Amino acid sequence: MPTDAPQPSFVLIRPQMGENIGAAARAMWNFGLDRMRIVAPRDGWPNPAADALASGAGRLLDEAEVSDDVASGIADRTYVYATTARPRELTKPVFSPEAAMADAAARIGRGEKVAVMFGPERSGMENADIAHANAIITVPVNPEFPSLNLAQCVLLVGYEWRRAVEAAPDMVMQGQTIDAADQRDIEALARHYEDRLEEAGFFYPDHKADSMKVNLRNLWSRMALTRADTQMLHGVLRQLLRGKTK
């Protein structure tokens, strides 16, 4: 059964190869989308060639809604986007994928039923298809090579959908020992190195010693050290000194 998560339907218009339909299903499920619709598939439906490329997303193929024409495929939708890489003479709002999916999330939040149409692999949708849409999604691709594979386009729009509905940090630190060193850890490390370097005569000449110590202390402060890092650096210094005394 489809998930309960509110989401747009992804409508594949006259897809030509079962493998691309399967890859599109996989791309959809990567981002939690499972409402696939297929309009007039060239090789009929079901298509065994789609199963291998779905790679774990076969349920989407089993539950896909199949229609004979575009009008039937989107009949129950209240707002429809059409993806295209080529400029069109039709007068419509043109969104980037990011803006389109933010708009789609807002519309779905208001109770609207949204669909995104994707054209055939070889030439994309015809103007007659796009005339059914309320808006266009255009990807800023290389103008000398604008054509995207069907699954690539589905993946790109699916990614932007996920970004629109699920906040994600721009960067997180991962690992087994990620606890940040606090100021006591940093101070102990700085003092350890300063004392040992003092004993080794590193701070020379005397009139530069204070500024050298400040610069060294500032070095530790600039580093994003974990507690594990400070423990290792203490150990490094102890081992170096132990080797010197042997």
Side-chain angles (χ1 to χ4, degrees):
M1 294 292 292
T3 62
D4 294 331
Q7 60 181 269
S9 297
F10 275 24
V11 186
L12 312 186
I13 307 298
R14 299 185 300 278
Q16 297 169 328
M17 298 178 62
E19 292 86 348
N20 286 335
I21 299 172
R26 178 177 181 177
M28 288 177 62
W29 193 228
N30 281 149
F31 299 106
L33 293 157
D34 62 356
R35 313 290 163 77
M36 174 179 277
R37 298 185 178 192
I38 306 172
V39 173
R42 183 190 66 182
D43 297 333
W45 195 259
N47 186 334
D51 295 330
L53 270 293
S55 186
R59 176 177 65 79
L60 276 67
L61 304 177
D62 296 337
E63 297 168 356
E65 300 178 29
V66 182
S67 304
D68 293 329
D69 54 50
V70 173
S72 300
I74 59 173
D76 62 340
R77 302 293 91 181
T78 60
Y79 201 87
V80 178
Y81 305 87
T83 57
T84 177
R86 294 186 287 119
R88 304 286 181 158
E89 59 269 25
L90 300 173
T91 302
K92 293 184 185 294
V94 179
F95 288 90
S96 68
E98 180 180 11
M101 290 302 94
D103 183 64
R107 290 180 182 278
I108 291 172
R110 296 194 296 265
E112 295 189 45
K113 298 177 180 178
V114 172
V116 182
M117 299 194 301
F118 301 86
E121 296 91 319
R122 180 168 297 179
S123 58
M125 279 179 280
E126 300 173 359
N127 280 353
D129 303 317
I130 295 175
H132 290 275
N134 302 97
I136 288 173
I137 300 174
T138 295
V139 181
V141 294
N142 177 3
E144 296 182 3
F145 191 61
S147 179
L148 289 174
N149 174 274
L150 172 60
Q152 290 176 324
C153 193
V154 168
L155 183 77
L156 192 154
V157 177
Y159 167 71
E160 293 297 351
W161 166 257
R162 190 76 172 192
R163 290 186 65 209
V165 298
E166 183 174 301
D170 291 332
M171 190 280 287
V172 295
M173 186 71 73
Q174 293 184 341
Q176 294 180 334
T177 54
I178 62 172
D179 291 339
D182 60 26
Q183 290 301 310
R184 286 171 297 186
D185 298 321
I186 301 298
E187 187 60 35
L189 183 65
R191 179 60 60 187
H192 188 186
Y193 272 76
E194 184 177 314
D195 289 347
R196 300 292 81 80
L197 290 171
E198 184 86 66
E199 293 171 2
F202 176 77
F203 300 112
Y204 179 85
D206 291 343
H207 69 276
K208 292 185 178 181
D210 288 344
S211 63
M212 293 173 70
K213 291 176 182 179
V214 169
N215 289 338
L216 181 62
R217 182 61 180 81
N218 192 49
L219 169 66
W220 299 120
S221 297
R222 291 203 315 270
M223 298 172 69
L225 296 170
T226 66
R227 288 189 170 181
D229 293 332
T230 62
Q231 292 167 3
M232 181 188 70
L233 290 168
H234 280 297
V236 166
L237 185 55
R238 281 192 289 266
Q239 186 62 37
L240 286 172
L241 295 174
R242 185 177 297 117
K244 185 178 179 180
T245 58
K246 287 183 178 180

